[in-house]
Amino acid sequence: MSENLTASVTGDFDARLQAWFDERGWRLFDFQREAREAYLAGESGLIHSPTGSGKSLAAWLGPLAEAAGGADGGLRVLWITPLRALAVDTRQNLAEAAAALGSDWRVEVRSGDTSQSVRARQRRRPPEALVTTPESLSVLLSYADGASWFRRLACVVVDEWHELLGTKRGVQLELCLARLRGIAPGLRTWGLSATLANLAEARDVLLGPGADGRLVRGQAPKSVSIRSVLPDTLERFPWAGHLGIRLLPAVVEAIESKGSTLLFTNTRSQAELWFQGLVDARPDWVGRIALHHGSIDRKLRARIEDGLRAGELRCVVCTSSLDLGVDFSPVDQVMQVGSPKGVARLLQRAGRSGHQPGAVSEVLCVPTHAFELVEIAAARRAAEQGRIEARRPLVRSLDVLAQHLVTVALGGGFEAEPMRAEVSRTHAFAGLSDAEWGWVMDFVTRGGQALQGYPQYRRVEGVDGRYRVTDRGIGQRHRMGIGTIASDTAMNIRWLTGGSLGTIEESFVSRLERGDRFLFAGRLVELAQVRDMTAWVRRAKKGKRTVPRWQGGRMPLSTELADCVLEVLAAAGSGADESAEVTAVAGLLELQRRWSRLPVPDELLVEFTRSREGVSLFCYPFAGRLVHEGLATLLAWRLSRQTPATFTLSANDYGLELLCREEPAIDEERLAALFAPGDLEADLLACMNTSEIARRRFRDIARIAGLVFQGYPGRGKSTRQIQASSGLIFDVLERYDSDNLLLDQARREVLESQLEARRMRETLAAIGGKRIVIERPERLTPLAFPLWAERLQSQIMSSETWRDRVERMAASLERAAERRRKSA
DNA sequence: GACCTGCTGCGGGATG
């Protein structure tokens, strides 16, 4: 099938390719050659390699051979990337490569940033290669002439596939790829992915069930060095806490020692505080330190990225906003404040330094409390052993399917049976039942059971067996709503004097009064007024301030990392781990061992501790925060069914606490029964406020499925309105259409994503195989202390402040430890 | 000077 292609790859082309490589001092790696050969043989597949190792180039070599044939009209190569900023960089690289090889191909970008006139021209005369996002691809497929656009498509490349896999954006792309394969038979699909535990699955999902594909292994993973900033004396280092600002002097020193540093933090407010801390410590760095996170204005972020590229910045404090994208000239140093939460995430961040082939990536971790040192040692262990997290693909996301069906109905229409067949050629919908398919079709044509009276929900019309969107208004509104990313509950924040600062949570602003000062984008500002969904601010002088809080995801510690933490603790107990972190934290671990015991993989440690508030049950399954929250609720519920009692709950990544006035009558045997899986889902539904959580979840589903319209750009409906209308629909459906599959999906998503029911089940099963050990320490152990502090923080304090109490408790524990040391 | 968790990503176009 690729004879033409092979013929066009003449010796001349290969010579030019070689010359182009030589010019840059690059060498053609075996895996790049392998990808190219596979491409020329008509294969599809997935290329796996760490960042900055030339995998983009590997994917481009095949299509470049197409380019050597010259432009003969029509779109031949489509490059999908999850980030608009990456699209711009990619276009630049590809255009240069094509030109250097003597091709007259046009390489263009199309995304939300593309101007209307360019879009119009692109539709009239498509470029030979287009770099775009999954959403823009979907929009392209919604045009009536979309199919003719893609008819000659030879290759689609999906960059950063690991970022899309496991998300609804990935599901949407799966559907679009199936569509493209229907339009352009013989289309090759190539994906690019960073390291994942389930690479083969990632390839299969990309190519669709049953399709054959190659897995090209790139260069061996770069070696990564994970080190820690160690506190001078661990005696004074907090047992709990999240900010880590105590280590500021050491961090300043580390930044000083290198040319440029990326300082990753876990939250936006943490980034704000660290930025402020650095500026206060080193006023001479002003202008050469920058702050980068998701709430900061895009233009400002772009300027910072440019500054980083140009090597003008000494340090950028950021969140995951800089995990991806912007092909930096490498920074000299990467630092991570607080728990990295996962191995893959830490490796990805480490990869931002030492871009040269063969160079070592380095990351310097900054612990925010003592046990995080163990976590860092665990991350190193996991990285060395290649224990990287998997990303599980989503299935049966009916909201995405509904959106896609309207898109295709708009883009020239479809017939039911062929469409169903096409949809089942995706991994996400391979197992779609007749009932589900029937339901989604009914939903897009009639609005389903409850909404059939409303014409705006009759979006797709079937005439003579062909389904189309005939109403222009419906079509226009649908295009505006394409995509699966739920909009933030955000307000704009602007200077009174003009100029945008970024976005801020509506809920945060609503708590402020006029004249209140807060820290935003690294500046102290004062709220002047709120109107038109915008918070207007002016510069403020020093004074009382608040740090904005943004609503974000709550990342639990990954299973891989949590398992490694347990192993490191066990190794530390037997003296088998001699890492700097474990050595530094040895005294604390010894305290834990003496006062109670160290948790080990084949035991579940349960501690009963008496305090003036009552009796606390602490236990440490090391299964991540979300699971522990669910588990705490489940245990309390199961316990109170036997003996009525009130519990106060607390959870973190390592364990959970149940506080009760009286000590519940519990022994090992009863505990084991409480931890039995039983009918987990039914119990969870009974004891958690799942219906309220599902209601909130439904907001996104309703938007994706097209049940609520987000409003026209610039005249955005406030999120409260969206929440109100989706809430209304939720109630109507629950009452009059309780079989609605979108409700069902909302409940399913709550169980799976929000409560991590699957991981909870695995945790309970694992506990079933462990020996339960009860200890009754006289005081809070190092492991219990953060849980205790966490609970206090969430309770309303009497006259004392949280910090007072934490410090007093810490002091008394320290005294106790001191006494022990002396008597020993 | 005390205060203090919770990430990221996308998206329209006919008419004047």
Side-chain angles (χ1 to χ4, degrees):
Chain A
M1 76 186 276
S2 48
E3 273 166 37
N4 293 341
L5 201 55
T6 316
S8 77
V9 185
T10 57
D12 181 41
F13 177 82
D14 267 357
R16 260 190 258 176
L17 184 68
Q18 193 57 57
W20 185 59
F21 265 72
D22 291 345
E23 213 171 282
R24 279 161 180 71
W26 293 349
R27 101 170 205 253
L28 192 59
F29 291 109
D30 286 346
F31 82 96
Q32 294 170 332
R33 207 172 311 219
E34 181 189 349
R36 180 179 174 216
E37 296 310 316
Y39 181 90
L40 292 178
E43 286 183 48
S44 293
L46 184 73
I47 301 168
H48 154 243
S49 192
T51 330
S53 62
K55 67 175 183 288
S56 304
L57 193 62
W60 183 231
L61 287 177
L64 268 183
E66 307 258 4
D72 53 359
L75 182 72
R76 306 303 309 280
V77 171
L78 194 58
W79 186 287
I80 313 285
T81 150
L83 241 66
R84 282 182 296 217
L86 271 182
V88 176
D89 288 357
T90 304
R91 191 213 73 87
Q92 179 78 25
N93 294 340
L94 299 194
E96 273 173 22
L101 295 174
S103 168
D104 57 351
W105 268 27
R106 283 171 304 140
V107 185
E108 294 182 5
V109 167
R110 183 187 183 108
S111 75
D113 292 333
T114 308
S115 76
Q116 204 195 117
S117 57
V118 171
R119 281 180 210 197
R121 179 178 55 67
Q122 284 175 337
R123 276 185 68 186
R124 281 195 310 275
R125 192 167 162 253
E128 280 75 30
L130 184 72
V131 186
T132 189
T133 60
E135 287 78 10
S136 284
L137 169 59
S138 194
V139 169
L140 285 169
L141 285 169
S142 79
Y143 297 132
D145 53 359
S148 63
W149 230 67
F150 294 108
R151 197 147 284 141
R152 301 199 59 237
L153 195 63
C155 172
V156 48
V157 177
V158 180
D159 201 0
E160 312 278 5
W161 172 233
H162 61 281
E163 282 291 323
L164 295 168
L165 184 71
T167 71
K168 288 189 182 178
R169 297 184 82 190
V171 173
Q172 180 168 47
L173 186 56
E174 283 180 53
L175 287 166
C176 288
L177 289 176
R179 181 97 272 259
L180 290 178
R181 289 181 194 120
I183 296 170
L187 175 71
R188 275 155 289 194
T189 311
W190 281 89
L192 303 173
S193 172
T195 306
L196 286 178
N198 55 334
L199 279 172
E201 185 179 36
R203 172 200 58 196
D204 295 346
V205 173
L206 181 71
L207 304 189
D212 255 357
R214 177 94 60 127
L215 187 56
V216 176
R217 302 274 179 173
Q219 283 185 284
K222 262 193 299 195
S223 53
V224 176
S225 137
I226 299 171
R227 292 181 303 123
S228 308
V229 174
L230 296 172
D232 286 342
T233 63
L234 209 79
E235 310 283 285
R236 298 272 153 213
F237 201 62
W239 288 8
H242 303 106
L243 291 179
I245 204 81
R246 213 170 280 238
L247 288 176
L248 182 72
V251 170
V252 168
E253 208 174 292
I255 294 172
E256 181 109 68
S257 73
K258 297 280 168 92
S260 60
T261 298
L262 273 186
L263 185 72
F264 283 101
T265 62
N266 284 337
T267 70
R268 285 171 278 184
S269 45
Q270 197 178 24
E272 293 273 350
L273 284 162
W274 269 91
F275 176 75
Q276 195 61 44
L278 287 171
V279 169
D280 290 347
R282 292 298 299 262
D284 56 313
W285 283 353
V286 170
R288 289 194 298 145
I289 325 183
L291 179 63
H292 192 284
H293 62 63
S295 294
I296 286 176
D297 193 60
R298 282 216 2 244
K299 286 193 196 118
L300 188 58
R301 287 165 63 178
R303 279 213 297 280
I304 293 167
E305 288 156 22
D306 288 343
L308 208 47
R309 256 196 222 98
E312 292 158 0
L313 293 172
R314 180 169 267 286
C315 175
V316 178
V317 184
C318 60
T319 58
S320 356
S321 56
L322 283 183
D323 269 350
L324 268 195
V326 203
D327 217 355
F328 302 127
S329 49
V331 294
D332 298 318
Q333 174 171 244
V334 171
M335 299 184 79
Q336 161 76 38
V337 178
S339 165
K341 303 285 181 185
V343 187
R345 160 187 297 258
L346 189 62
L347 291 182
Q348 174 119 17
R349 291 183 173 177
R352 294 267 149 236
S353 73
H355 253 182
Q356 305 83 341
V360 177
S361 295
E362 273 188 14
V363 58
L364 188 55
C365 296
V366 184
T368 64
H369 60 83
F371 261 97
E372 250 170 22
L373 285 166
V374 177
E375 225 173 285
I376 296 164
R380 182 185 307 116
R381 184 189 185 94
E384 278 165 3
Q385 298 176 358
R387 288 156 70 176
I388 315 288
E389 293 85 7
R391 295 220 186 196
R392 296 289 164 206
L394 299 179
V395 290
R396 292 165 60 221
S397 308
L398 297 182
D399 51 348
V400 183
L401 180 57
Q403 185 185 105
H404 182 73
L405 288 183
V406 178
T407 300
V408 177
L410 191 53
F414 63 84
E415 285 165 17
E417 273 321 301
M419 190 64 200
R420 164 137 202 221
E422 180 180 299
V423 164
S424 19
R425 283 193 287 271
T426 63
H427 174 269
F429 300 104
L432 196 71
S433 70
D434 289 344
E436 284 169 323
W437 171 256
W439 186 87
V440 179
M441 283 297 288
D442 184 54
F443 175 73
V444 297
T445 51
R446 257 192 349 140
Q449 179 72 27
L451 302 170
Q452 48 180 316
Y454 301 90
Q456 69 264 38
Y457 295 121
R458 287 197 290 266
R459 290 178 289 169
V460 174
E461 237 178 294
V463 180
D464 299 332
R466 194 155 183 92
Y467 290 85
R468 295 174 195 276
V469 173
T470 50
D471 183 288
R472 246 185 44 169
I474 287 179
Q476 194 184 352
R477 283 213 301 271
H478 178 76
R479 284 202 184 98
M480 274 186 281
I482 281 180
T484 61
I485 298 174
S487 54
D488 288 352
T489 58
M491 263 176 124
N492 292 319
I493 168 165
R494 305 178 67 87
W495 293 116
L496 272 179
T497 49
S500 170
L501 277 156
T503 59
I504 191 164
E505 290 256 311
E506 216 181 324
S507 62
F508 176 78
V509 173
S510 69
R511 287 200 311 268
L512 296 178
E513 306 254 339
R514 185 179 291 200
D516 277 355
R517 301 185 176 99
F518 57 97
L519 202 54
F520 190 94
R523 275 179 274 226
L524 192 60
V525 299
E526 179 184 317
L527 184 67
Q529 58 172 321
V530 178
R531 91 183 127 73
D532 304 333
M533 286 304 286
T534 302
W536 299 88
V537 298
R538 61 170 69 94
R539 213 172 285 275
K541 296 215 176 71
K542 282 272 180 209
K544 189 175 172 318
R545 67 183 200 209
T546 321
V547 176
R549 282 189 215 172
W550 289 270
Q551 186 186 312
R554 296 185 309 168
M555 303 163 278
L557 200 65
S558 76
T559 309
E560 286 71 15
L561 192 47
D563 288 351
C564 277
V565 168
L566 257 182
E567 289 173 21
V568 168
L569 283 175
S574 63
D577 191 313
E578 291 175 342
S579 64
E581 290 84 4
V582 170
T583 310
V585 84
L588 188 70
L589 298 181
E590 173 58 17
L591 219 54
Q592 170 72 33
R593 195 187 60 76
R594 269 207 313 223
W595 289 358
S596 165
R597 60 205 288 143
L598 279 176
V600 289
D602 58 352
E603 284 179 1
L604 177 71
L605 172 61
V606 175
E607 294 172 348
F608 283 105
T609 311
R610 218 166 255 291
S611 68
R612 64 176 180 196
E613 296 144 315
V615 175
S616 291
L617 178 161
F618 293 100
C619 80
Y620 313 101
F622 287 84
R625 179 176 194 124
L626 296 178
V627 166
H628 294 149
E629 277 174 2
L631 219 50
T633 316
L634 183 74
L635 286 181
W637 183 75
R638 285 180 175 177
L639 265 170
S640 62
R641 278 206 309 180
Q642 295 160 352
T643 331
T646 312
F647 296 96
T648 310
L649 311 178
S650 165
N652 65 14
D653 272 325
Y654 302 159
L656 58 96
E657 177 197 8
L658 257 61
L659 169 69
C660 188
R661 286 225 170 274
E662 312 273 316
E663 174 161 349
I666 290 187
D667 53 13
E668 284 83 351
E669 202 176 321
R670 263 198 82 195
L671 268 176
L674 284 172
F675 279 114
D679 194 350
L680 179 63
E681 280 182 21
D683 282 0
L684 281 178
L685 290 173
C687 72
M688 310 263 318
N689 193 0
T690 41
S691 146
E692 186 49 40
I693 310 174
R695 230 177 127 86
R696 260 174 272 150
R697 193 92 194 174
F698 185 72
R699 188 194 70 184
D700 300 348
I701 291 177
R703 205 196 61 67
I704 295 170
L707 273 175
V708 288
F709 177 52
Q710 247 189 327
Y712 293 93
R715 283 171 288 164
K717 256 188 180 183
S718 107
T719 42
R720 229 173 319 183
Q721 269 172 292
I722 292 179
Q723 182 67 64
S725 40
S726 65
L728 203 66
I729 293 176
F730 186 85
D731 293 338
V732 169
L733 294 183
E734 210 167 35
R735 233 171 122 180
Y736 301 106
D737 189 9
S738 57
D739 294 335
N740 189 300
L741 292 186
L742 294 180
L743 295 180
D744 188 54
Q745 190 186 326
R747 292 184 204 114
R748 216 172 64 215
E749 285 185 14
V750 167
L751 280 177
E752 281 312 313
S753 327
Q754 214 132 343
L755 304 181
E756 286 200 304
R758 174 176 161 171
R759 189 169 172 194
M760 201 183 300
R761 179 178 298 285
E762 288 165 0
T763 305
L764 290 178
I767 290 175
K770 293 183 188 199
R771 198 152 47 86
I772 294 179
V773 185
I774 296 181
E775 292 285 341
R776 296 175 188 279
E778 286 165 35
R779 52 182 77 75
L780 291 173
T781 61
L783 271 172
F785 185 78
L787 284 161
W788 175 84
E790 180 115 359
R791 169 163 60 76
L792 280 194
Q793 206 177 2
S794 60
Q795 285 173 350
I796 299 156
M797 287 294 89
S798 47
S799 54
E800 308 176 280
T801 66
W802 179 79
R803 201 189 175 91
D804 286 342
R805 288 196 67 177
V806 170
E807 286 197 336
R808 216 180 47 210
M809 179 60 88
S812 85
L813 286 171
E814 222 166 80
R815 281 196 301 274
E818 189 60 30
R819 278 199 302 276
R820 286 280 172 132
R821 262 197 298 275
K822 279 186 184 147
S823 66

